[in-house]
Amino acid sequence: MLASDKLIEAFNQQIGNELGASLQYIAIASYFDSETLPQLARFFYRQSAEEREHAMRFVKFVNNVGGKVKIPALPAPESEFASAEEAVGRAVSGEEDVTRQIYDLVEVAKADKNYAGVRFLDWFVAEQLEEVTTMRDLLAVIRRAGPDRLLYVEEYLVRQGGRGLESPAAPAETT
Ligand SMILES: [Fe+2]
Ligand SMILES: [Fe+2]
């Protein structure tokens, strides 16, 4: 096996964390769906799909190094939101949590001298910076619009060309 039991266990936990984030985004998307804010709903449904892809990257890595995939029990996501600001605030704090989790995983992989793991995690370090920024930007736009003008936020998302707020400033993907 190309990774220690400790690293495999930590990666399995992260599979759960990413799937948990995926469920949380379905709950947030559904809140916006129920408020008839289709662009915000679409944005979060798409985020949910992305989190599943993140989980699958960890699944693939664990299998590639000969570890055993063991998906942990997932906590129920929060489903009650009093406002758009609260729902997106939950997304911001979720991304901040995941960023800390990824940094902790880097520490485990480095302590193990598992350089394949460190390189694998590099992608997530960059991805988390983008995700935290995206969610903070969306929260700022929502606060600026105010609770009675969420249609501005919808228009804003449309103007982003279907990519939502995912930063056009992500040059690595586009060049
Ligand atoms: Fe993720
Ligand atoms: Fe994320």
Side-chain angles (χ1 to χ4, degrees), residues 73-166:
L74 303 180
E78 271 175 52
S79 295
E80 302 289 337
F81 305 104
S83 63
E85 186 174 341
E86 193 182 302
V88 177
R90 180 63 186 76
V92 171
S93 66
E95 290 299 342
E96 289 169 348
D97 289 346
V98 173
T99 301
R100 277 189 294 274
Q101 291 158 2
I102 296 291
Y103 287 7
D104 288 347
L105 290 176
V106 173
E107 292 297 323
V108 175
K110 278 188 171 165
D112 255 19
K113 297 189 187 301
N114 191 316
Y115 297 112
V118 173
R119 284 196 65 172
F120 167 81
L121 289 166
D122 266 350
W123 183 88
F124 281 93
V125 170
E127 173 71 7
Q128 279 313 119
L129 178 59
E130 190 185 321
E131 298 233 280
V132 169
T133 305
T134 298
M135 291 305 167
R136 283 181 181 166
D137 285 353
L138 180 57
L139 186 58
V141 171
I142 283 174
R143 284 179 174 153
R144 193 169 299 136
D148 298 328
R149 287 184 297 274
L150 290 172
L151 286 179
Y152 287 165
V153 181
E154 291 277 287
E155 283 173 28
Y156 182 86
L157 288 172
V158 172
R159 280 203 304 279
Q160 298 291 313
R163 294 202 66 226
L165 283 159
E166 278 155 58

Side-chain angles (χ1 to χ4, degrees), residues 18 25 47 51 54 95 98 128 131:
E18 300 288 347
Y25 282 140
Q47 284 293 322
E51 298 303 341
H54 294 171
E95 290 299 342
V98 173
Q128 279 313 119
E131 298 233 280

Side-chain angles (χ1 to χ4, degrees), residues 14-95:
Q14 193 60 25
I15 294 171
N17 293 338
E18 300 288 347
L19 291 173
S22 182
L23 297 184
Q24 184 59 69
Y25 282 140
I26 294 174
I28 293 172
S30 297
Y31 165 75
F32 287 119
D33 226 342
S34 72
E35 294 285 313
T36 321
L37 292 162
Q39 296 300 328
L40 279 156
R42 204 168 70 109
F43 175 82
F44 282 103
Y45 284 130
R46 201 172 49 221
Q47 284 293 322
S48 172
E50 261 191 45
E51 298 303 341
R52 185 185 183 282
E53 282 170 28
H54 294 171
M56 292 309 295
R57 281 178 183 248
F58 281 99
V59 166
K60 197 74 194 133
F61 184 90
V62 171
N63 282 323
N64 281 348
V65 298
K68 179 162 177 46
V69 169
K70 264 179 87 177
I71 300 170
L74 303 180
E78 271 175 52
S79 295
E80 302 289 337
F81 305 104
S83 63
E85 186 174 341
E86 193 182 302
V88 177
R90 180 63 186 76
V92 171
S93 66
E95 290 299 342

